[in-house]
Amino acid sequence: VDPFANLTRLGLRMEKVGNNVSTFVAHGGNVKCLSFGKKTRTLIATGGDDRHVNIWQIGKPNYLHHLSGSSSSVEAVAFEGEEKTVVGGSATGSLKLWDLATGKLVRSLTGHKANIRSVDFHPYGDFIASGSLDTVLKVWDIRRKGCIQQYKGHSDAINAIRFSPDGRWVISGSEDCVVKLWDLTAGKMIKELKDHRGAITSLEFHPNEFLLATGSADRTVKWWDLETFNCVSASDAEASPIRSVAFDEGGLSLYSVAQDSLRVHGWEPWTCYDRKALPWGKVQEVMVSGDKLVTGSINQQQVSVWEVPLSKLNRSGDGLPPATPTSAPPPYDVDPPQSQQPVAPAAVPAPTHTAPPAAALQAAAVRSGADERPLPTMATQPPVRTPAAAAPSTAKTPAGRDGGEASGGPGGAGTPVIPAQRDKPVGLNLDAFLPASAAPESDRGAGDAEVLDSIETGHASMVKVLQLRLRNTQIVRTRWESGDYAAAVDTLIGLADQAVLVDVLNIMVQKSKLWSLELSATLLPQVVGLLGSMYESYVLTGVSTVQLVVKLFGQIVIDNIRSPPADNGVDITREERYDRCMAVHHALRTVRKAIAPRVGEPGKIGSQLRALDKLLSAHD
């Protein structure tokens, strides 16, 4: 069946620049994920609802390996750099590793509390990063079978993860529209990139420069300078979300794929060199393989592999595609040549800064919210690039990297580019990733049964918490429905349950007619506790409550304080109003003092508290 035929019948004119080289049934259930091997560039790993990972060779009808051991759907897969190992992330939150030489399960890593959405191997060591629906990014040591670092900061599922080419950073892209960069040495977040307006779907480092490309469900691609962390270019919107991006081997252009379309981009300034309509459907990954662009897409139980000759694409904006490589990658059954050893330059400039002491790293990790131990200090010597890595590029080279100052780039001080070659950088000590005390080696990790037991135990505890919360809420509701609002509020305060307080306040802030000076004076001291909470939702509810009180009574409070009643005791009503205004005024001043230590926090909480602090300045 000609895949172009349906689109032709719909009146869409389409040049046949690509070929569907194979379509095959990959799993007994729906295919959930797909990944290419980046060494031979001929292998495909797929995971499915049938709880298996299958390994395929492009162009061959039968799988090479049928890997079992997962107890639930496999939703993320990735090859190790040498294509000797494959990892699969499951719907139960566990990671499984298989040895492709034997086809056997060799590791089981557990710790995530929800579906794993993305995985990536560290380029030089036995480490894996995983991102999950539980919003946590974890770094694992394969040899010691444990999580050696985890990072919290995203507010939604993590869709994409990439280690930097030099192995010192890991980046994550989430459904919350944010890309976060994490320093593995310091164990903390470096920067947030927030310009996208849709979920992040794809991440890719430039092969030669400090540049990051991100694709998003907002249908755009953005380019980020990793020295300044600024967005230097952005594409216009595609017709559908970006599904995957890849730089060409020389770094001169970027390919982005969406459903049924391909674009070739330049940046600084952004230029669309070429665009093609291709009926390849839901692409999971794109890569450059020799003189071809290869994509893998999924549709229910099927996988389709497409190839687009680079010679048919304009990749430089001059109407003529640049020269393509003369040799294709070796086939699966041919041993590829050994990777070239790093060639040291005549002189490597010494870094002008030293790594911080371990105690400082520990403190930095605590301040940043990173859990467990920060990764121990790694050497800061810049990686050495081989001559083969120095591909020509017309894109802008970041300025100011003369080795004179410490830089925010992943290569350390004075590194002009991110190395394209995956040879180990000089000074990168892989043992520095290991914690001081680690679990002893054993043949197999914990199974999914332990994960399920852990989940069930946590579930039982959560049910008890929610039942208590429901009971307390019903108690407050019964008092409220009786019409005795003061008794209901007294009961609410007496329960000392912040979760119930948040539930009630979220309803009350929508009903401004319920509020009075007396009620405000009673509830504001309770709101102070919410503003100091570790939970964002509690803080935001507290902010909304204080904002409503200021909106309703702020001017009344100020006016009454400025004109106190006379001391003759004639106007009792006015005196009572004055007393309530003073109570609200003192409560608002207490609120401002309580939020003062947190106004400098980054993110949504910090911005909301800064706005509230400004609003309360009139009550000093």
Side-chain angles (χ1 to χ4, degrees), residues 321-358:
T324 56
T326 57
S327 61
Y332 177 73
D333 55 353
V334 176
D335 291 329
Q338 296 296 317
S339 59
Q340 187 176 4
Q341 294 299 314
V343 179
V348 179
T352 60
H353 68 291
T354 57

Side-chain angles (χ1 to χ4, degrees), residues 159-323:
N159 293 332
I161 284 178
R162 282 288 184 275
F163 283 106
S164 62
D166 68 354
R168 289 181 168 94
W169 287 1
V170 63
I171 58 174
S172 55
S174 168
E175 286 283 334
D176 62 11
C177 314
V178 177
V179 176
K180 292 180 183 284
L181 292 83
W182 311 89
D183 187 317
L184 294 173
T185 301
K188 66 179 181 179
M189 186 180 72
I190 302 170
K191 193 68 176 178
E192 291 182 327
L193 310 178
K194 292 185 173 182
D195 282 6
H196 278 295
R197 297 186 177 183
I200 308 301
T201 56
S202 185
L203 305 165
E204 195 70 19
F205 282 98
H206 191 281
N208 302 314
E209 299 179 17
F210 279 105
L211 191 72
L212 174 70
T214 57
S216 170
D218 65 9
R219 303 176 293 152
T220 68
V221 178
K222 296 185 186 294
W223 290 261
W224 308 84
D225 185 328
L226 294 181
E227 282 198 314
T228 64
F229 302 108
N230 292 327
C231 180
V232 295
S233 289
S235 70
D236 62 10
E238 264 278 20
S240 59
I242 304 298
R243 300 190 66 86
S244 186
V245 298
F247 284 101
D248 68 13
E249 292 177 347
L252 298 177
S253 55
L254 178 102
Y255 306 99
S256 70
V257 295
Q259 185 160 337
D260 297 331
S261 69
L262 163 68
R263 277 191 180 186
V264 186
H265 305 268
W267 56 94
E268 292 193 89
W270 173 76
T271 306
C272 182
Y273 292 151
D274 206 350
R275 66 181 72 198
K276 303 293 182 184
L278 290 154
W280 47 32
K282 297 179 180 179
V283 174
Q284 295 294 295
E285 189 166 301
V286 59
M287 72 171 178
V288 177
S289 176
D291 59 355
K292 300 181 294 293
L293 188 72
V294 183
T295 66
S297 59
I298 62 175
N299 180 24
Q300 296 180 347
Q301 298 175 327
Q302 292 186 329
V303 168
S304 295
V305 179
W306 286 73
E307 292 181 351
V308 179
L310 298 181
S311 60
K312 292 189 177 182
L313 300 175
N314 178 10
R315 295 179 285 147
S316 61
D318 59 5
L320 294 174

